Structure formats: structure tokens, C-alpha cells
Amino acid sequence: MNAERAHRTGQLVGLGGAAALGGIGAIHVAWARGSSFPFTTQERFNDVVVGSDHTPPAGASYAVAVALGGAAALVGGAAVSHRPLVRVGAVAVGLVLAVRAAFGLAGRTDVLVPGSDSKTFRRADRFAFAPLCLALSTSAIWAALTPR
């Protein structure tokens, strides 16, 4: 792959990852405001997405949304910027997501988020959430390390 093509690919991967992170952040805002999207009941949402009987406080969902927004900005910035600090930040985002993916694939997200241990959540985590984190991790690191 020539350098120009590698650069364009890195930009696309990074911008796609940034868009996904931003979208997931927006979903967390909706959850903070009381939505149970994509489920019809809060109980089902809690079982699948939270992994417990309790809905997290709105502040926790807003905090995750802010973190995801910052991650999106770093990954998107790394895709188009030559600034070393932005690229280092995107690698950090990728590493955090890789850790989240590893714990999820191992069925141990409850170590990172105590109480997230319902069987339904662990299944969703292994087959959806953790692989998504792994893909987002890959996009963040790819965007940051693509030659300019």
C-alpha cells in the first residue's frame, strides 16, 4: 500500500471510529435522560445493558457520554492531525478500549464495573459490547499510528 493510500485509509478508519464513539456517547445522553433504547422496558435495558437490577444514576451516564465525546475528538483529531499529543491521546483511548474488550471477552466486566454480572449482560458483552470495544480500539490506534 503506498503512503498516500495508507494515509487516506487511516483517516477513514479514524473518522469512522470517532463517529461511532460520538454516536455511542449520544446514546448515553439519551439513557441519562431516561430512555431505555433500544429496549421497551427499563427492566430489560438494565438486564442487557447494565447487567443489574438498578439503573445507573443520570450523572454516571452523562460522565460516560463526556468521556466518549472526548475520545471521539481525540480519535477524529488523530485521523487528520500531525500533533503528537493528539495521537498519543488516541492511542490511550485505544488502550482503554482494548482493556474493556479483554475484560468483556473474558466475561469479567464486573471487575471494572461492579454489579454488571447478569447472565444476559455477560452474553451481550461477549458477543456485542466487547467486540465493539475491540473494533473501536483498533480504529483509534490505527488512526493514531498511520504514517502521515
Side-chain angles (χ1 to χ4, degrees):
M1 183 181 301
N2 68 34
E4 179 60 28
R5 189 172 181 184
H7 176 67
R8 281 194 316 259
T9 301
Q11 282 184 317
L12 288 173
V13 168
L15 293 173
L21 288 163
I24 296 166
I27 290 170
H28 278 76
V29 169
W31 291 342
R33 296 176 56 85
S35 173
S36 61
F37 175 84
F39 303 99
T40 57
T41 67
Q42 196 65 44
E43 292 77 21
R44 182 75 175 143
F45 168 82
N46 288 346
D47 190 29
V48 176
V49 176
V50 179
S52 75
D53 299 353
H54 307 289
T55 303
S61 291
Y62 281 125
V64 172
V66 168
L68 287 165
L74 285 169
V75 174
V80 297
S81 172
H82 294 282
R83 295 181 305 203
L85 193 55
V86 172
R87 294 174 80 178
V88 168
V91 168
V93 167
L95 294 175
V96 167
L97 289 166
V99 167
R100 169 61 181 87
F103 276 84
L105 291 170
R108 294 308 317 264
T109 299
D110 61 310
V111 172
L112 301 175
V113 184
S116 295
D117 55 8
S118 78
K119 287 183 181 183
T120 307
F121 170 79
R122 284 186 190 218
R123 190 174 324 111
D125 198 20
R126 278 199 174 124
F127 293 104
F129 307 144
L132 176 60
C133 287
L134 187 57
L136 292 170
S137 169
T138 302
S139 74
I141 293 170
W142 190 342
L145 299 182
T146 296
R148 304 292 188 251

